[in-house]
Amino acid sequence: MFQRLGYTIARFMQGRYGVDALQKALLWVYCGIIVLNLFLGSLVLVLFEFLLFGWLVFRTLSRNIPARMRENEWYLKRSDGMRRFWKLQKNRWRDRKTHVYRTCPHCKATVRLSKANRGHHACDCPRCRKEFQVTI
């Protein structure tokens, strides 16, 4: 029964846009507004929730794929710096026991260095190829 339902949904979604990075970000915003509204109880936020949910459903079921792709590209271009920042923070947390991160003074690139080599070292930047001193 569930397999048949899966096929039915897959057949329905054929030719429709589906989910992308903008969709996921909007879903997080939607969930955040719901949680915020639990404490505030604002009628304006409820209206905004319905509008945002409607937009989410519209984007998911849309057959105008080029327009949805342009919206997603616009979002990805605007959010690139923020996404890179959070990815770096995640990597720093993951590597906190084995590596340190330093910034190149010339090009401001972030360089990952092993904690096994403690002390003062000369380091080559992988981006600009200039040498600079680091302390681990």
Side-chain angles (χ1 to χ4, degrees):
M1 176 174 156
F2 289 113
Q3 188 176 15
R4 185 173 173 207
L5 178 65
Y7 289 135
T8 305
I9 292 172
R11 197 170 49 245
F12 174 75
M13 288 301 291
Q14 213 168 22
R16 298 181 191 273
Y17 188 63
V19 179
D20 59 7
L22 175 59
Q23 196 83 355
K24 292 175 186 176
L26 289 174
L27 189 61
W28 279 107
V29 169
Y30 177 73
C31 292
I33 291 172
I34 288 175
V35 170
L36 181 67
N37 203 20
L38 287 174
F39 297 106
L40 298 179
S42 169
L43 203 55
V44 174
L45 284 179
V46 170
L47 178 64
F48 189 66
E49 287 173 21
F50 280 120
L51 290 174
L52 188 56
F53 183 75
W55 192 30
L56 284 164
V57 171
F58 168 75
R59 287 193 84 250
T60 302
L61 300 178
S62 174
R63 291 183 186 256
N64 190 355
I65 294 173
R68 302 295 81 81
M69 289 176 74
R70 280 192 304 273
E71 292 169 357
N72 189 48
E73 286 299 319
W74 177 86
Y75 165 73
L76 290 173
K77 199 180 300 181
R78 298 295 184 279
S79 65
D80 185 51
M82 183 175 55
R83 286 183 294 116
R84 265 192 281 129
F85 170 78
W86 287 112
K87 185 176 180 181
L88 177 63
Q89 297 310 312
K90 182 182 115 182
N91 291 342
R92 282 184 178 203
W93 179 256
R94 181 194 64 207
D95 299 337
R96 69 188 180 278
K97 294 180 181 177
T98 58
H99 293 84
V100 294
Y101 287 80
R102 297 291 185 253
T103 303
C104 172
H106 306 289
C107 68
K108 306 300 183 217
T110 303
V111 181
R112 186 179 106 164
L113 304 166
S114 175
K115 281 187 176 180
N117 304 327
R118 298 216 180 251
H120 299 285
H121 301 282
C123 176
D124 292 329
C125 176
R127 185 189 292 169
C128 67
R129 305 284 184 221
K130 293 187 180 177
E131 187 175 288
F132 61 98
Q133 296 294 321
V134 293
T135 302
I136 301 175

